[in-house]
Amino acid sequence: MENTGKKVLVTGASGGIGRAIALAAAKSGYEIVAHYNRGEEKALSLKAEIEAAGGKCSLLQFSISDRGDCKEKLEKWTEENGTFWGVVCNAGICRDNIFPALTDENWDDVIHTNLDGFYNVLKPLVMGMCKKRCGRIITIASVSGVIGNKGQVNYSASKAGIIGATKALALELAGRKITVNCIAPGIIETDMIKDAPLDEIVSAVPMKRAGKPEEVASLAVFLLGEESSYITRQVISVNGGLA
């Protein structure tokens, strides 16, 4: 009941890790604002599932790589509904290839979506959270941003950038009682790896399996809660011992 009335924005909530986080947070009593860009059908399905379980969920559509779109939609939403308690920056893309074969578009799309998305989403929201002197910000990076990964120079760069930005923002907001932490998942069973040779990939994981989105979501819900109020500026890995 302590979470009743606390609104949490989850970007990229229409599938994979974002969906799992939205469902778990709703189960814990948070009011979910589920962001999507193109996955409207999946977003509607998520909303229906949350509401069928007695939770609250609204949908918000924008492109995290479009700064103007983010600013317009997020400022309008907060003017009408108030400040978010929590923001989970989960949305992202990958365009994998070995570095010599990367195109300019491969590089720009990933950087502008993943790394610029951090700025585009949080910039319109942080001042309101500062005024309330409370809140939780969670970014979703990747093991690739921690140790690097071949075939993912662009993705690793974007996720490493998110880690650095998260740590810096945590320092700026700590005095306002806003925690800022990063979750760095490893190999998780989502659409992002559906075409990958999973048996070969998990052989490098000490636990010899891929993680489940719910295992990331449970950590996110903990970091959203009051009991995590002394945890900030941390990068917490969920990767089965991969790094």
Side-chain angles (χ1 to χ4, degrees), residues 63-109:
S63 168
I64 66 168
S65 63
D66 185 329
R67 188 163 300 160
D69 194 25
C70 286
K71 187 174 188 295
E72 178 185 351
K73 301 283 180 60
L74 289 170
E75 287 184 350
K76 184 176 187 294
W77 194 93
T78 53
E79 284 172 7
E80 295 174 351
N81 300 281
T83 304
F84 289 108
W85 162 260
V87 181
V88 182
C89 294
N90 164 76
I93 63 170
C94 64
R95 299 286 184 268
D96 295 350
N97 214 331
I98 59 171
F99 188 71
L102 278 179
T103 65
D104 292 349
E105 185 178 36
N106 292 154
W107 179 269
D108 291 343
D109 285 352

